[in-house]
Amino acid sequence: MAGQTLYDKLWSQHLVKQREDGSALIYIDRQLLHEVTSPQAFEGLRLAGRKPWRLDANLATPDHNVPTTLKERAAGNAGILDPVSLIQVQTLDDNCEAFGIEEFRINDARQGIVHVVGPEQGATLPGMTVVCGDSHTATHGAFAALAHGIGTSEVEHVLATQCLVAQKMKNLRVRVEGRLGTGVTAKDIVLAVIGRIGTAGGTGYAIEFAGSAIRDLSMEGRMTICNMAIEAGARVGLVGVDDTTIDYLRERPYAPTGEQWDAAVAAWRELVSDEDAVFDKEVVFDAAEIAPQVSWGTSPEMVAPIEGEVPDPATIDDDTVKRGVTRALEYMGLSPRQKITDIRLDKVFIGSCTNSRIEDLREAAKVAKGKKVADSIALAMVVPGSGLVKRQAEAEGLDKIFLEAGFEWREPGCSMCLAMNADKLGAGEHCASTSNRNFEGRQGYGGRTHLVSPAMAAAAAIAGHFVDVRDTTLSPREA
Amino acid sequence: MQALKQHQGLVAPLDRANVDTDLIIPKQFLKSIKRTGFGPNLFDELRYLDEGYPGQDASQRPLNPDFVLNQPRYRDASILLTRRNFGCGSSREHAPWALEDFGFRVIIAPSFADIFYNNAFKNGILLVPLDEGTVERLFQEVEASEGYRLAVDLEAQTVTTPSGEVLHFEIDEFRKHCLLNGLDDIGLTLEHEAAIRDFEMKHRSAHPWLFRDREVS
């Protein structure tokens, strides 16, 4: 019998019941909650007279709506100027209080983007099933946790039953072998993967990221990659457990201790795909060939290497694709065959659940150190992923580097990744963004998003247009 | 959830691949804490010429005359015909809430994004996958003939065109059963309460570190 993939193992360890109609009930170990996708779920529980199945499985924090300026944050919830946002954040507080769910409120140092907070607290552990009403829940798969983004009805379902109705996915392995070039990061790997397999390339699959280049990444880098599995259409991204995983988790507040830590580590070591496991599909990349990536269009698959150019729709055969590219160029205000380095920028955003962890900020700070943001940039902002990331960055002096270079240094939250708070692009503005989606209007009505790594975003802020971070004398990834 | 057995309705063609959930319902409308009222903001950025915000009177906004749902012939559509990978992007259930609130009960496309697929069925919207060639042909038929309607039969898993052509589609048994009967799946899952408790007990003894109440003193 062939061996099991990591996904197969996680699935079978959580299978409560396989039903005859092909659906299954899987047990959920952790649910993360935020203010946007939970209010209707709590309301549903109330209307049906149900209670949460298991309180200690849940952890909540507001992130999407929270303001990121110190002035507004100083007043806590009362500082939220948008009355509709305020109601949503207040509703999360009220629901957590009423049902007895642990919450890191707006000015708790542990507050932040759910996908930064979970791992940082050790609330995400290998071998867990993790859900959240947010598609970027795939992030937690970096810890060999089976992590799904779910909708609000499913949030309610998990609250009420501790289970999710699911169907087994197929297995896709993305293997990245070899060494990344200097200045090339996890973000470039995942953008290159999406650029090749497309935004529906992973639909119906759980993607396991493997190969020596993945093993060489820190947990932060692995989270960046799993985070964007959904941008390749896969609800689940995974990386097997190794020493890097275990070292990251040691002494995290929610991680086990003492004898339980030892027992847990022994169990976690098994959370890798077997040597002889069979994948339904495999794609292989050579890390050395991956250049820093920049998205030019309105879908994350519309990416090019920094030395490349915007495509010419005239050279595309498939009609649907051609119309998509034409429309994207029109929306983005770009011309066919325009060089990526000729794209001028108005704003720069370093943050989001993809790239707001300490390592991301370090890489951006290395590029920004001693430099100045170009005069043509209206706003360059750095938004740490959590209060603890912010604290750590300040302890390392990164805030000073950013402030001296002309970046704004903000309070934690999702911020301009989706612009539900006041941080947004104006119509027609181009933004170098370390976030995950470049959809029309995503960062603000008429805004034009270019997805890049933190180092590339910082370099673009200084130059005022995209530049190859490898051409500078800096080496964000020192060997 | 509203049951759906058969549905006959006017078809609107949205000729675009990779329609993402940000396009279906932009984020500013996600601040609502209700499940209803999203219909006027469905496809907001395509539908109106100005920028939308919550609490606005949509009837006073300038419509984009080029957008398909603003054309009088498609105004009462309840079946949306679109291209591959519909519903990609975020997990916001506000997307199916908006589609449903507008009046769509059936969406036909070559493929759908995974999370959207789940969310739509939980809100009584039937997603019908048909191959690219068939979808292309339906686009041509819809555009060529005003008042084009399709008849969908979930029990038989068929779509019937005005010319009488019968197209078969796939759907898994569980979703079919729930939609045919309008079932609340929390209720269905709780029928397995004993199995869940049993699993939970074994899971806890094998992986005690997954249960934080272990340390309650």
Side-chain angles (χ1 to χ4, degrees), chain A residues 432-479:
Chain A
S433 178
T434 65
S435 56
N436 40 58
R437 289 189 177 134
N438 50 353
F439 298 151
E440 287 183 25
R442 169 85 178 178
Q443 293 191 289
Y445 185 74
R448 295 162 169 169
T449 303
H450 300 278
L451 306 174
V452 287
S453 72
M456 283 286 286
I462 287 147
H465 59 90
F466 286 114
V467 288
D468 191 337
V469 72
R470 296 171 300 182
D471 289 347
T472 71
T473 52
L474 302 150
S475 51
R477 185 175 173 277
E478 281 166 350

Side-chain angles (χ1 to χ4, degrees), chain A residues 21-323:
Chain A
D21 54 28
S23 71
L25 283 181
I26 61 168
Y27 187 84
I28 300 304
D29 296 308
R30 169 79 65 234
Q31 170 148 259
L32 300 168
L33 297 155
H34 62 85
E35 78 278 20
V36 180
T37 55
S38 66
Q40 298 89 347
F42 283 114
E43 185 194 44
L45 279 191
R46 275 199 194 90
L47 289 173
R50 291 176 175 132
K51 287 200 167 116
W53 180 281
R54 212 188 107 202
L55 289 173
D56 76 303
N58 298 284
L59 182 62
T61 194
D63 55 5
H64 285 61
N65 276 278
V66 298
T68 59
T69 58
L70 191 55
K71 191 167 166 246
E72 287 172 272
R73 284 292 276 271
N77 284 2
I80 304 176
L81 298 176
D82 177 345
V84 197
S85 290
L86 172 60
I87 289 172
Q88 209 165 43
V89 172
Q90 190 61 50
T91 302
L92 179 69
D93 293 355
D94 294 347
N95 281 325
C96 289
E97 174 120 11
F99 286 99
I101 288 171
E102 183 166 17
E103 183 196 6
F104 301 152
R105 291 195 178 186
I106 188 163
N107 282 347
D108 189 311
R110 298 166 297 176
Q111 177 272 342
I113 307 172
V114 276
H115 309 308
V116 175
V117 168
E120 182 175 79
Q121 290 295 318
T124 300
L125 295 172
M128 267 186 170
T129 40
V130 180
V131 294
C132 176
D134 190 286
S135 58
H136 291 111
T137 308
T139 309
H140 308 265
F143 292 84
L146 176 54
H148 299 77
I150 58 176
T152 298
S153 294
E154 291 175 314
V155 171
E156 183 183 341
H157 189 281
V158 173
L159 280 169
T161 70
Q162 214 53 50
C163 289
L164 187 67
V165 178
Q167 275 173 311
K168 198 164 179 215
M169 301 173 196
K170 289 180 286 181
N171 285 287
L172 164 61
R173 181 161 60 186
V174 172
R175 220 152 40 81
V176 190
E177 299 289 358
R179 278 180 69 89
L180 285 174
T182 299
V184 184
T185 66
K187 183 64 166 285
D188 302 302
I189 295 180
V190 72
L191 287 173
V193 169
I194 298 161
R196 193 197 295 177
I197 73 173
T199 52
T203 303
Y205 290 93
I207 301 181
E208 180 173 339
F209 295 96
S212 58
I214 304 293
R215 282 196 300 279
D216 285 347
L217 293 172
S218 63
M219 286 316 295
E220 284 87 349
R222 295 175 189 185
M223 283 190 259
T224 297
I225 289 186
C226 290
N227 172 275
M228 289 190 73
I230 186 67
E231 265 57 70
R235 291 176 83 176
V236 167
L238 290 165
V239 175
V241 167
D242 61 11
D243 290 341
T244 305
T245 326
I246 290 163
D247 291 344
Y248 178 96
L249 289 167
R250 191 171 284 119
E251 292 172 19
R252 298 266 162 192
Y254 288 60
T257 51
E259 281 176 20
Q260 282 211 353
W261 168 262
D262 298 333
V265 168
W268 296 344
R269 294 273 182 204
E270 304 295 317
L271 296 172
V272 291
S273 287
D274 293 333
E275 286 286 327
D276 57 345
V278 178
F279 288 80
D280 298 286
K281 201 159 98 177
E282 179 164 82
V283 194
V284 184
F285 287 78
D286 178 355
E289 284 179 8
I290 299 175
Q293 304 282 307
V294 178
S295 79
W296 50 264
T298 54
S299 161
E301 68 188 25
M302 295 174 168
V303 291
I306 179 67
E307 64 268 50
E309 55 184 32
V310 170
D312 182 352
T315 62
I316 298 169
D317 293 333
D318 182 311
D319 259 357
T320 307
V321 176
K322 179 185 284 198
R323 269 180 287 132

Side-chain angles (χ1 to χ4, degrees), chain A residues 346-367:
Chain A
D346 303 291
K347 288 184 177 165
V348 175
F349 170 61
I350 297 174
S352 87
C353 59
T354 312
N355 281 129
S356 64
R357 298 182 180 81
I358 190 66
E359 180 181 272
D360 301 315
L361 304 190
R362 285 177 191 146
E363 286 185 0
K366 252 185 220 177
V367 175

Side-chain angles (χ1 to χ4, degrees), chain A residues 360-403:
Chain A
D360 301 315
L361 304 190
R362 285 177 191 146
E363 286 185 0
K366 252 185 220 177
V367 175
K369 191 169 187 179
K371 303 274 173 45
K372 290 283 178 205
V373 170
D375 289 341
S376 56
I377 301 287
L379 171 69
M381 61 195 294
V382 183
V383 186
S386 72
L388 295 176
V389 168
K390 181 167 185 262
R391 188 180 284 177
Q392 170 79 25
E394 287 172 353
E396 295 178 18
L398 305 185
D399 58 325
K400 290 195 178 60
I401 293 173
F402 287 123
L403 288 165

